[in-house]
Amino acid sequence: MDENQLKSSAKRKVFYITTPIYYVNDVPHIGHAYTTIIADAVSRHKKLAGLEVYFLTGTDEHGQKIEKAAAEKNLSPIELANQVVGRFKQLWQDLLIDYNFFIRTTADFHEKGVQAIFQQLKEKGDIYKGIYRGWYCVSCENFLTEDIPLDEDGLKTCPDCGKKATQVAEECYFFRLSAYQEKLLAFYQQNPHFVRPQSRMNEVVSFVRQGLKDLSITRTTVKWGIPVPNDPAHTIYVWFDALHNYLTGIGYGWNSSLFHKFWPADIHLIGKDILRFHAIFWPAFLMAAGLPLPKIVYSHGWWLKDETKMSKSKGNVLDPRIILEDFGPDPLRYFLLREVPIGLDGNFSHEGFLHRVNSDLANDLGNLVHRTLTMIQNYFQGKMEQPAPENESDRHLREAFNQTKTKAIAFYDELAINRALEEIWSYINQVNKYLADNEPWKMARQAEARPRLARILYQTGCALRGIALLIYPVMPASAEKIWQMLGEKTALSKLTYDQFQFETWLPEEAISPPVPLFPRVRLEDFLKEKASPTPATKKITKEAKMSTISFEEFMKMDLRVGEILSVEKVEGTRKLYKIQVSLGEETKQMVSGIAEEYQPQDLIGKKVVVVANLKPAVIRGIESQTMLLAADVNGRAVIPFFVEDVPAGAKVR
Ligand SMILES: [Zn+2]
């Protein structure tokens, strides 16, 4: 954050953060969870920093896709929306998401707010009626987006169903986006950090420089939407409707003092796929309405599925519920925020997840808390005695905490949450080393060493309190647990960073024996449980989550015969190979989790079936451009090879 922004947020003493509103034709998955967990961590951090926070999330409920999805389920659109909203709210509760308000675009006050702004811009001349010419898919009843290119026949193909679209013209309302091109460029110039990370800002600027066309913002073909005021044959199209949730969710049109207190938003947190809507259209709408613009649009990366057997055969492994069932919210929150800097893509693998949970949480932190509290229990019956004065190593531990606190807070402020956690973990390791160096267990039987023993355990207890404070934004449940185990009576959530002092730990009563903080799960057990065909019911419910696909959808997969050219182990992993595979005309690289089942010599020269048009992903820093097919036999990969010789590149269907 630059200096001016820091000053203005310090002056304001309020903080407004939003997630995108999630579309209700989808069930909540790890991507939704990720965005919302970031927003929650930032919001908890800002509260500890003493700010009054408003955290908004919600659902986007209009549009043709919802209408269709509801009809397929024999529901009305609002019934479908209600069901999905229930799932989102349940997940947020389970993930300890402490939002202030859940906005639904079907709420009456939202619809009225959008209509009021529409009317205002229409009167001003920024919205006008014109003719929209576009490509329309008759079977999907949907206009194609502009970015789809013409094919050889001069036609466009619908990306949803694969059928040819027809060119049509219909009357609709336009927003005069072209009039805002120069104003937007001037705004970006004055606010060069409006979009984060910086690379995304550059993308936005160059897109706007190429020229902006007026934006069609209504449809007559969509019925499930907000009607245009005084012209109800037209409904307001999704983005103009959805983006205004950031205003109506904070009181626009229904609570003016709330609205003026918190608007403009400090951070709109978004996925990179919706950057243009937030960094171009949204500021232009606000300029037109004469409202202040948000401070920051922060675009985070995506979580990709791993290439291991589990995710390959099932569409369900990225369902956060499966992890929540076994681990509860904190390990998932920690993993998602620790593993990858916000802004970059991450690769989710159960191996990576378990490694983090076992090593960082169970070993480093969980053990430290457990050992310390057990010693306090065993040597002092839970009641601290007068400690000896601080020696140099004690002082060092205290000072190191204060430095860690300053750094972690600065990183949290920058949304560099992974770096804040790195700092905190480096301190946790210092505390572990402090205990190892001071060897308190050797003093337990020497009466004259008791004051020194009391100091070591007191100092460690103070450090643990500090650690609880600093991990609270990311792991609120574990932080409160540690805090309470140390005999604190008021909740951490009521505290601020400023109020916390390292040496003010004064447990009034004897503290109770520790309870385990984090489950320790063996990878084999975890994978076995997730992939096991028994008990049958578990398997069936998890696989039942995969929906059927149409023949057209199946035909989108370009399956080919690939000849394996080379195989090498990915360093530092047990399961992964980097494989070069020839598809005849071209060679592709993939990362595949089959190293436990197959030796390189078993693979080289063999022909396998690969998905040739898979979107590339980065796995352990290596670009994986395709994947091979294998059976999942109780978690073990079995590759189908060809009995007869077939040419590399041949189509498989
Ligand atoms: Zn279509």
Side-chain angles (χ1 to χ4, degrees):
M1 227 175 262
D2 66 34
E3 215 180 353
N4 284 335
Q5 278 168 319
L6 273 178
K7 268 188 211 147
S8 73
S9 67
K11 210 166 32 195
R12 283 170 43 125
K13 289 282 174 206
V14 295
F15 187 83
Y16 176 27
I17 186 166
T18 67
T19 71
I21 45 173
Y22 303 119
Y23 207 43
V24 293
N25 71 338
D26 207 356
V27 290
H29 55 67
I30 210 105
H32 303 119
Y34 181 51
T35 318
T36 314
I37 288 169
I38 298 172
D40 186 66
V42 173
S43 147
R44 288 174 188 272
H45 157 69
K46 292 291 179 185
K47 286 180 197 166
L48 285 180
L51 298 182
E52 190 181 347
V53 174
Y54 196 92
F55 167 13
L56 180 73
T57 189
T59 40
D60 181 3
E61 305 184 8
H62 289 130
Q64 199 140 25
K65 282 189 185 157
I66 311 288
E67 231 178 329
K68 282 193 78 171
E72 277 162 21
K73 294 191 163 88
N74 234 342
L75 296 171
S76 68
I78 194 68
E79 283 170 336
L80 173 69
N82 288 343
Q83 280 184 6
V84 180
V85 164
R87 284 193 206 131
F88 272 106
K89 286 188 169 172
Q90 183 62 50
L91 181 62
W92 299 157
Q93 191 181 326
D94 295 344
L95 280 168
L96 307 175
I97 305 297
D98 188 19
Y99 55 80
N100 292 75
F101 193 73
F102 191 103
I103 174 102
R104 299 183 56 175
T105 55
T106 47
D108 186 51
F109 62 84
H110 172 78
E111 301 195 350
K112 290 205 169 87
V114 172
Q115 286 177 324
I117 291 169
F118 190 99
Q119 187 62 26
Q120 183 197 339
L121 302 197
K122 195 172 144 203
E123 282 162 15
K124 202 180 158 219
D126 274 329
I127 287 177
Y128 63 92
K129 210 175 206 179
I131 301 292
Y132 177 77
R133 283 171 220 286
W135 291 89
Y136 185 75
C137 173
V138 179
S139 118
C140 298
E141 300 176 22
N142 203 9
F143 278 95
L144 274 54
T145 52
E146 299 259 324
D147 54 340
I148 295 167
L150 293 172
D151 59 22
E152 303 107 42
D153 312 325
L155 294 171
K156 290 194 179 191
T157 303
C158 172
D160 293 329
C161 70
K163 291 181 187 155
K164 298 283 181 200
T166 46
Q167 215 169 1
V168 297
E170 73 164 31
E171 197 180 49
C172 83
Y173 287 91
F174 284 88
F175 173 75
R176 213 177 286 282
L177 185 63
S178 57
Y180 288 89
Q181 181 172 341
E182 293 312 315
K183 286 174 196 156
L184 284 168
L185 289 171
F187 170 73
Y188 301 145
Q189 194 158 25
Q190 284 153 20
N191 300 275
H193 305 296
F194 172 61
V195 172
R196 320 276 177 101
Q198 193 61 40
S199 56
R200 302 266 164 225
M201 178 84 256
N202 303 341
E203 253 171 50
V204 167
V205 171
S206 66
F207 184 83
V208 174
R209 280 215 186 105
Q210 284 167 25
L212 294 176
K213 277 192 264 175
D214 290 351
L215 200 64
S216 103
I217 53 166
T218 64
R219 289 287 183 270
T220 49
T221 46
V222 180
K223 296 285 162 267
W224 179 237
I226 303 174
V228 167
N230 310 315
D231 198 354
H234 297 260
T235 50
I236 297 173
Y237 197 48
V238 247
W239 281 103
F240 193 86
D241 167 0
L243 285 163
H244 287 94
N245 92 84
Y246 300 131
L247 301 179
T248 58
I250 192 81
Y252 184 88
W254 56 275
N255 185 339
S256 142
S257 66
L258 181 71
F259 178 69
H260 289 291
K261 182 172 182 185
F262 284 99
W263 187 259
D266 291 272
I267 297 180
H268 288 316
L269 200 61
I270 58 162
K272 59 186 178 181
D273 50 326
I274 51 175
L275 178 61
R276 279 179 197 174
F277 302 102
H278 284 80
I280 301 171
F281 302 171
W282 180 227
F285 295 162
L286 289 167
M287 283 173 179
L291 289 167
L293 305 197
K295 299 243 181 335
I296 293 171
V297 170
Y298 209 117
S299 151
H300 64 70
W302 287 332
W303 281 94
L304 310 167
K305 287 186 193 185
D306 60 6
E307 256 252 332
T308 62
K309 295 149 277 190
M310 284 201 50
S311 64
K312 204 150 55 174
S313 56
K314 305 180 178 77
N316 64 4
V317 289
L318 293 187
D319 181 347
R321 305 222 136 270
I322 291 174
I323 286 175
L324 279 171
E325 280 168 19
D326 285 351
F327 293 90
D330 281 0
L332 182 60
R333 291 172 62 112
Y334 175 78
F335 176 79
L336 293 178
L337 297 178
R338 173 71 176 80
E339 191 74 359
V340 184
I342 295 167
L344 299 185
D345 287 346
N347 177 53
F348 193 97
S349 77
H350 286 88
E351 265 175 316
F353 171 74
L354 267 194
H355 176 74
R356 279 273 174 223
V357 172
N358 283 343
S359 120
D360 296 10
L361 301 186
N363 287 343
D364 296 348
L365 178 59
N367 267 350
L368 175 64
V369 172
H370 198 82
R371 267 200 306 163
T372 308
L373 293 178
T374 305
M375 283 191 280
I376 293 174
Q377 206 56 201
N378 291 350
Y379 306 153
F380 296 99
Q381 288 74 52
K383 191 89 185 136
M384 290 307 305
E385 288 175 14
Q386 184 62 38
E390 271 189 350
N391 73 13
E392 197 174 329
S393 75
D394 309 328
R395 189 166 58 249
H396 183 72
L397 194 71
R398 174 165 54 81
E399 284 165 0
F401 172 76
N402 291 328
Q403 285 160 12
T404 302
K405 184 180 164 194
T406 308
K407 283 188 204 159
I409 290 173
F411 281 132
Y412 277 138
D413 270 333
E414 292 278 347
L415 265 68
I417 301 177
N418 63 317
R419 302 202 55 192
L421 292 170
E422 271 170 37
E423 287 296 332
I424 299 163
W425 253 258
S426 142
Y427 184 67
I428 289 171
N429 291 332
Q430 281 186 60
V431 183
N432 271 316
K433 185 167 184 306
Y434 168 85
L435 273 186
D437 291 350
N438 279 288
E439 302 181 307
W441 42 89
K442 286 192 175 168
M443 300 171 188
R445 289 199 192 87
Q446 309 158 11
E448 72 284 2
R450 276 188 85 75
R452 180 70 204 134
L453 177 61
R455 167 57 67 185
I456 296 165
L457 294 180
Y458 177 76
Q459 210 75 357
T460 310
C462 290
L464 290 179
R465 282 170 82 238
I467 290 163
L469 173 79
L470 296 183
I471 63 171
Y472 170 80
V474 175
M475 294 196 289
S478 311
E480 294 281 13
K481 241 195 235 173
I482 297 172
W483 189 249
Q484 281 163 21
M485 280 197 277
L486 287 162
E488 296 288 350
K489 295 280 180 274
T490 48
L492 255 175
S493 59
K494 306 276 180 249
L495 207 69
T496 65
Y497 290 126
D498 286 346
Q499 286 163 352
F500 179 86
Q501 299 295 326
F502 184 86
E503 56 277 63
T504 50
W505 182 40
L506 294 167
E508 286 164 23
E509 295 152 30
I511 58 179
S512 325
V515 291
L517 277 174
F518 304 106
R520 192 192 299 271
V521 181
R522 285 172 60 233
L523 180 67
E524 288 74 10
D525 297 341
F526 184 56
L527 293 184
K528 209 182 292 157
E529 188 197 327
K530 295 303 155 199
S532 160
T534 53
T537 48
K538 192 153 197 173
K539 174 87 165 178
I540 287 161
T541 52
K542 283 185 180 168
E543 294 219 320
K545 287 181 186 167
M546 292 189 72
S547 55
T548 56
I549 59 168
S550 66
F551 181 68
E552 283 82 5
E553 282 173 298
F554 168 70
M555 287 306 286
K556 284 187 201 164
M557 282 209 290
D558 187 10
L559 300 177
R560 300 273 173 169
V561 175
E563 180 175 359
I564 296 180
L565 302 176
S566 72
V567 178
E568 53 184 295
K569 195 83 182 280
V570 176
E571 235 175 273
T573 68
R574 274 193 298 124
K575 299 197 161 189
L576 300 182
Y577 279 143
K578 184 166 101 178
I579 298 175
Q580 306 294 332
V581 54
S582 163
L583 305 185
E585 311 251 291
E586 58 173 336
T587 299
K588 285 193 179 230
Q589 172 173 293
M590 66 181 152
V591 175
S592 191
I594 52 172
E596 285 185 322
E597 292 91 351
Y598 294 91
Q599 295 301 313
Q601 63 268 26
D602 303 334
L603 294 167
I604 292 168
K606 291 275 170 62
K607 309 253 171 82
V608 295
V609 178
V610 300
V611 186
N613 60 341
L614 192 70
K615 193 172 159 200
V618 176
I619 297 167
R620 301 279 168 133
I622 301 165
E623 184 172 8
S624 188
Q625 302 152 328
T626 183
M627 67 183 237
L628 59 77
L629 300 191
D632 175 355
V633 184
N634 298 346
R636 194 168 62 87
V638 180
I639 302 174
F641 296 110
F642 288 93
V643 180
E644 199 174 317
D645 193 32
V646 283
K651 196 150 176 54
V652 179
R653 46 191 182 189

